[in-house]
C-alpha cells in the first residue's frame, strides 16, 4: 500500500514539474509575444488618434491666429508656439499611454 502511495505522489509531482516547465519555457514567451504585438498595435492606433486631434487643434489655432494677429512676426511666433504645444500634448499623452512618469 505504501509503495502505491509513493508512486502516486511521485507521478503527481512529476506531472506538476513537467507542466510548470512547459508553462515557463513555452507558454509564457508565446503569451508575452502576443501581448507585445497587441500593445504595439494599440499604441500605433492611439498615436494616430492623438495625432489627428492635435493636427485639427493646431489648424484651428492657426486659423484663429491668422484672423486675430496683424503682423508677420507675431504670426511666426504663434505658429512655433502652436507646434511646440502640439508636440507637448502628443508627448504627454504618449507618456501617459506608456506609463512614463513626469520629470
Amino acid at each position: 500500500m505504501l509503495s502505491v502511495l509513493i508512486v502516486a505522489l511521485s507521478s503527481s509531482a512529476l506531472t506538476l514539474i513537467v507542466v510548470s516547465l512547459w508553462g515557463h519555457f513555452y507558454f509564457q514567451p508565446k503569451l508575452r509575444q502576443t501581448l507585445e504585438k497587441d500593445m504595439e498595435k494599440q499604441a500605433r492606433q492611439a498615436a494616430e488618434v492623438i495625432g489627428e486631434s492635435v493636427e485639427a487643434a493646431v489648424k484651428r489655432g492657426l486659423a484663429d491666429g491668422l484672423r486675430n494677429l496683424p503682423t508677420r512676426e507675431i504670426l511666426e511666433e504663434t505658429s512655433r508656439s502652436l507646434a511646440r504645444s502640439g508636440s507637448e500634448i502628443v508627448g504627454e499623452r504618449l507618456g501617459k499611454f506608456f506609463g512614463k512618469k513626469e520629470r
Side-chain angles (χ1 to χ4, degrees), residues 7 9-10 12 14 18-19 24 32 41-42 44 47 50 53-57 64 69 73 80 86 91 98-99 102:
V7 168
L9 288 175
S10 62
S12 297
L14 183 62
V18 168
V19 168
H24 182 72
R32 182 177 295 126
K41 180 181 175 183
Q42 293 294 326
R44 281 192 300 275
I50 291 170
S53 64
V54 168
E55 182 180 351
D64 289 344
L69 298 175
E73 292 92 14
R80 285 189 200 109
F98 287 109
E102 296 279 334

Side-chain angles (χ1 to χ4, degrees), residues 58 74-88:
V58 168
I74 296 174
L75 178 61
E76 288 174 356
E77 185 60 36
T78 302
S79 302
R80 285 189 200 109
S81 175
L82 285 171
R84 198 174 315 118
S85 57
S87 66
E88 289 172 0

Side-chain angles (χ1 to χ4, degrees), residues 86-97:
S87 66
E88 289 172 0
I89 290 170
V90 170
E92 285 178 15
R93 296 230 176 134
L94 288 177
K96 287 179 185 177
F97 180 79

Side-chain angles (χ1 to χ4, degrees), residues 21-76:
L21 288 174
W22 172 78
H24 182 72
F25 290 111
Y26 178 77
F27 184 69
Q28 190 177 16
K30 294 282 186 182
L31 181 63
R32 182 177 295 126
Q33 288 174 352
T34 302
L35 290 174
E36 286 175 357
K37 287 178 184 177
D38 289 344
M39 287 292 290
E40 288 175 9
K41 180 181 175 183
Q42 293 294 326
R44 281 192 300 275
Q45 289 175 347
E48 288 175 9
V49 169
I50 291 170
E52 290 171 1
S53 64
V54 168
E55 182 180 351
V58 168
K59 284 181 181 179
R60 276 193 315 268
L62 190 57
D64 289 344
L66 284 172
R67 275 187 248 122
N68 297 330
L69 298 175
T71 65
R72 184 178 184 151
E73 292 92 14
I74 296 174
L75 178 61
E76 288 174 356

